[in-house]
Amino acid sequence: MARRLARPRDDRWIAGVCSGLARRFGIGSGTMRLIFVVSCLLPGPQFLIYLILWALLPNE
């Protein structure tokens, strides 16, 4: 059963968005953070999407 998408209280660095996404998709939070940092090197609205998720995702 898939976990609900939410920002965890315990494994946060900045806002918990990467940690919440990692839990949702079943990968490590460090891996998700690395994917996010690498994706920021590519053109696109990654940082804006992060801010939107920070505002919209509920806390656990």
Side-chain angles (χ1 to χ4, degrees), residues 4-9 12 15-17 19-21 23 52-60:
R4 199 181 108 210
L5 186 57
R7 295 182 298 130
R9 294 183 187 270
R12 289 186 179 187
V17 173
S19 182
L21 289 171
R23 285 185 181 186
I52 291 169
L53 287 173
W54 185 359
L56 294 179
L57 289 180
N59 286 325
E60 273 188 337

Side-chain angles (χ1 to χ4, degrees), residues 3 5 8-9 11 15-16 18-19 22-23 25 27 30 37-38 40 46 48 51-53 56:
R3 295 183 70 146
L5 186 57
R9 294 183 187 270
D11 190 23
C18 287
S19 182
R23 285 185 181 186
F25 294 113
I27 61 174
V37 168
V38 170
C40 283
Q46 293 87 343
L48 182 62
L51 292 175
I52 291 169
L53 287 173
L56 294 179

